[in-house]
Structures are given as structure tokens and as C-alpha cells.
């Protein structure tokens, strides 16, 4: 009979049940990255987060961060490029020392240097100069020895929307056409330098990538970056019949996060002949933010949702998920740490997830496959060397902390 062992873990209160091993078969997860390598965090050092908080990255055990140096800093005059600033070099040194990869956000315009490209008085984003900025970043990052990918801007409908057109990308959308030109120029320029450098396009609404593919997204794009903010992790932010996603149906009738990923991959196979990786470069919840039922998100709920989000992403083939964010900084109460330095419960949740499952690989969903947005859910992870297995389980109908059952 199995022997149970329950341990209360810090603020997160994970429950660990110890049972006997029932199989020594070769894991289906062989060759997949461990969960730790999928754990990414949006850092805010370029927006005021103090460098004294760099050690939290090792404490949390994350494998990636999302960080950046903006375009005007690196090209202060036309075709005059400079190196990374000292503060970013300090961060790179830490990332290199701890084997932390960087999702480098290429951001944003350079209106002082390229005023002739202004749209709405502020953008300064001509496609070819932007591609040269990307190339400069690629060269500096490769020389740094730090693992990296390049993300081509952030939420382009917000960033470029003043150029006009339908906000969700449906033609006519001049902003989407311009973003496509930027993507084509950037991919062509960077790939000519090094075809192995990964580049990601960006979308926060589940629909923009559909219109990007319709408009002629380059087939050698490496990945889609998405921001699946929603009321809870198991559901997408849109429904199967959301009017502004038409003529596409971007989720199944159940509105599940899993179906949104599957449908985006299916569309990519149809339009590009392959499936770019899907990276989540932002995902999180606002502490005290309003819920659909009129309530407010508590620290305990967000700590539980953090674990559910990372597990769901790994279970659905997302190689890297970047929690938003490390510190509140300028974006409101989204951080693991607030602007006064107080550590929230979500911090402990991420740390404990990394400790408990960081060295494990996702193997299979074992409960809830047919009811992805309601009721019990369970996901099996396996250690690639010892073969030990752990199951993460929770009930989607509440916001209680998930449990992790260990099988020796």
C-alpha cells in the first residue's frame, strides 16, 4: 500500500504525497527540456527594478528572463551604434554565470533619429533601420555568450496602432502591414548574419498571428510570442464565437487555452507549412485586480494560478513561459515583489515549483483531457535520470493551490 507523506511548503503550501513506483518504462518525455528551462520571468531592471534584486533569479531557479535595451540607447545617431550600457552588461554577466537565457525585446521606435517615419507624432519605426538595430543587438548578444532569442516588438496593435486600421489586424490595417514589413526586414537581415538566431513575432489577442500569416509572414520565422491574459489559466481570453476574431475560430467551443494553442499551430501548418514554436512572453494577474464575478484577485489565488499557468504551458508544448513580472515597477501590482520590496506569495509559489519540478519533464496529462476548463486536472512529470514521477493536480473550478504527488 502507498505510504503518504505530507509536507507544508512555505507560503505556497504544496502537498506532497509519497507513493510506490509502478513503472520503470522509458519516459515519453525523453529529449524534452526540463520544467526549469521553461521558467522565464519578465525582469524590470530597465524600468527601475534595482540591480540588488538580481540574486532573486538564482533563488527562483528560472532558466530565462525577458529583458531589453531600447533602440535609441543603442543607435543615438543615424547609423552610429554603441555597445550595451554598463547596467545591462552587469546583468549579462549574471545571466551568463547562472546560465540564464534572454528573451531580448526589440523596443521600440527611435523617433529622434528617424523623425521622417513618425506616425501619430511618436513612433519612428522604419522597417530597415529597425532591422539594423536588431542585427546590432544580435551581434552584441552573440558576443556576450548568453543564450538569447529576439522578440520583434511588443503587442504591435498597441505599439503601432496609431498608424490606423482595424485594431485586431483584419484588413485594412496599415499598422499590421507595417509590422509585417518590419518582421520581413528583421528576419532577412538577422538570418543573413546567423540563420540559427531565433526570432519571434508578438501578439496578445490570439488573433493577430492569424492575420500576420494571411498577410505573408516569412515562413522562416522561428516562433510566435503570445500573452494569454485571461480570467484563469485554463481558459483563453476569447470565446469560440467572439465577433472580432471572425472569420477565424481561434478556440474550441469550450474556450480552452489548450485549444487556442492547438488551433494556432494548425493554422501555421496550413499557411507556413510548419509549426513555429509558441513562446509565452507575458502571463500574469494583477494583485487586487477585478475578476469577472466582481471580486478581486488575492495573493493566494495568483500564487495558485502561477503554478497552473506554468504547468499548463509545459503540458501544451510551450517551451518557455515568462511570468509578468519580477517587480511591479511601472505596470501596477503585477510583480512577485512590490515597489517597496515586499515579497508576495507568488514568489514562494514560483520558487517551490522550481524546487519541486525544476528537474522534471512533462510526460502526460492523466486527468481532465476531455474537460480542460472545468473540474479536476492532473499532469504527470518525470525525472529524466532517476525515473521518479510527480503528478500535479488541481480543480479548475476553484482557486486553491495545486498539489504535487511524488512517486518514488
Amino acid at each position: 500500500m502507498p505510504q503518504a507523506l505530507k509536507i507544508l511548503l512555505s507560503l505556497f503550501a504544496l502537498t506532497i504525497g509519497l507513493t510506490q513506483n509502478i513503472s520503470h518504462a522509458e519516459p515519453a518525455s525523453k529529449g524534452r527540456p526540463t520544467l526549469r528551462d521553461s521558467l522565464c520571468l519578465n525582469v524590470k531592471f530597465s524600468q527601475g527594478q534595482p540591480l540588488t534584486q538580481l540574486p532573486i533569479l538564482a533563488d527562483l531557479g528560472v532558466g530565462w528572463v525577458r529583458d531589453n535595451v531600447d533602440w535609441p540607447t543603442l543607435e543615438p545617431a543615424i547609423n552610429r551604434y554603441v555597445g550595451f550600457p554598463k547596467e545591462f552588461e552587469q546583468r549579462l554577466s549574471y545571466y551568463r554565470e547562472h546560465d540564464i537565457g534572454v528573451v531580448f525585446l526589440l523596443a521600440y521606435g527611435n523617433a529622434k533619429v528617424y523623425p521622417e517615419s513618425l506616425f501619430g507624432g511618436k513612433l519612428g519605426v522604419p522597417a530597415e533601420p529597425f532591422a539594423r538595430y536588431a542585427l546590432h543587438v544580435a551581434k552584441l548578444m552573440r558576443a556576450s555568450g548568453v543564450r538569447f532569442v529576439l522578440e520583434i516588438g511588443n503587442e504591435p496593435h498597441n505599439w503601432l496602432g496609431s498608424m490606423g486600421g482595424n485594431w485586431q489586424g483584419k484588413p485594412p490595417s496599415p499598422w499590421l502591414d507595417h509590422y509585417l514589413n518590419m518582421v520581413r526586414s528583421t528576419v532577412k537581415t538577422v538570418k543573413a548574419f546567423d540563420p540559427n538566431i531565433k526570432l519571434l513575432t508578438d501578439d496578445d489577442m490570439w488573433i493577430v498571428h492569424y492575420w500576420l500569416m494571411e498577410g505573408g509572414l516569412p515562413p522562416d520565422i522561428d516562433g510566435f510570442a503570445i500573452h494569454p491574459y485571461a480570467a484563469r489559466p485554463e481558459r483563453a481570453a476569447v470565446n469560440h464565437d467572439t465577433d472580432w476574431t471572425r472569420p477565424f475560430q481561434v478556440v474550441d467551443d469550450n474556450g480552452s487555452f489548450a485549444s487556442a494553442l492547438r488551433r494556432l499551430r494548425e493554422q501555421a501548418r496550413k499557411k507556413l507549412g510548419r509549426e513555429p514554436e509558441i513562446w509565452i512572453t507575458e502571463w500574469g494577474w494583477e494583485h487586487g485586480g477585478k475578476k469577472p464575478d466582481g471580486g478581486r484577485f488575492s495573493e493566494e489565488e495568483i500564487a495558485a494560478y502561477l503554478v497552473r499557468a506554468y504547468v499548463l504551458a509545459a503540458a501544451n508544448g510551450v517551451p518557455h513561459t515568462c511570468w509578468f513580472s519580477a517587480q511591479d515597477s511601472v505596470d501596477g501590482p503585477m510583480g512577485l515583489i512590490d515597489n517597496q520590496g515586499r515579497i508576495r506569495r507568488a514568489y514562494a509559489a514560483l520558487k517551490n515549483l522550481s524546487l519541486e519540478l525544476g528537474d522534471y519533464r512533462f510526460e502526460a496529462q492523466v486527468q481532465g483531457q476531455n474537460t480542460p476548463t472545468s473540474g479536476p486536472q492532473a499532469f504527470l512529470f518525470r525525472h529524466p535520470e532517476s525515473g521518479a514521477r510527480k503528478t500535479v493536480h488541481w480543480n479548475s473550478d476553484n482557486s486553491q493551490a495545486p498539489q504535487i504527488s511524488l512517486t518514488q
Side-chain angles (χ1 to χ4, degrees), residues 185-262:
S185 293
T186 301
V187 170
K188 179 180 178 181
T189 300
V190 174
K191 293 290 187 183
F193 166 66
D194 184 346
N196 296 314
I197 293 175
K198 289 185 177 182
L199 295 112
L200 314 175
T201 48
D202 198 82
D203 175 15
D204 66 324
M205 300 185 298
W206 288 115
I207 183 59
V208 171
H209 275 113
Y210 284 78
W211 290 117
L212 289 174
M213 286 186 279
E214 290 294 316
L217 194 66
D220 52 346
I221 190 73
D222 297 284
F224 299 157
I226 61 170
H227 302 167
Y229 294 110
R232 55 190 176 95
E234 295 80 11
R235 289 193 63 91
V238 294
N239 295 318
H240 71 282
D241 57 354
T242 296
D243 57 358
W244 49 262
T245 66
R246 294 172 182 157
F248 305 105
Q249 182 180 339
V250 301
V251 294
D252 290 352
D253 291 356
N254 57 28
S256 68
F257 165 75
S259 69
L261 290 169
R262 190 195 74 246

Side-chain angles (χ1 to χ4, degrees), residues 41-53:
L41 183 62
N42 277 269
V43 294
K44 295 297 191 69
F45 299 116
S46 65
Q47 295 177 303
Q49 184 178 6
L51 282 178
T52 54
Q53 291 184 3

Side-chain angles (χ1 to χ4, degrees), residues 64-145:
W64 288 79
V65 294
R66 188 181 187 227
D67 203 345
N68 80 293
V69 178
D70 64 25
W71 183 1
T73 298
L74 295 177
E75 190 186 1
I78 189 166
N79 288 331
R80 183 169 75 83
Y81 297 96
V82 299
F84 287 139
K86 179 181 177 181
E87 294 80 5
F88 190 72
E89 289 285 2
Q90 287 180 267
R91 301 193 313 258
L92 283 177
S93 178
Y94 186 90
Y95 301 153
R96 184 169 52 249
E97 179 184 352
H98 293 86
D99 192 26
I100 296 172
V102 175
V103 180
F104 193 106
L105 173 60
L106 297 169
Y108 286 100
N110 197 347
K112 182 178 180 180
V113 174
Y114 298 102
E116 73 280 2
S117 63
L118 291 177
F119 300 97
K122 62 179 181 178
L123 294 178
V125 284
E128 291 186 6
F130 183 89
R132 293 196 295 269
Y133 155 58
L135 175 62
H136 181 59
V137 169
K139 290 178 177 178
L140 292 176
M141 286 300 300
R142 193 173 75 170
S144 77

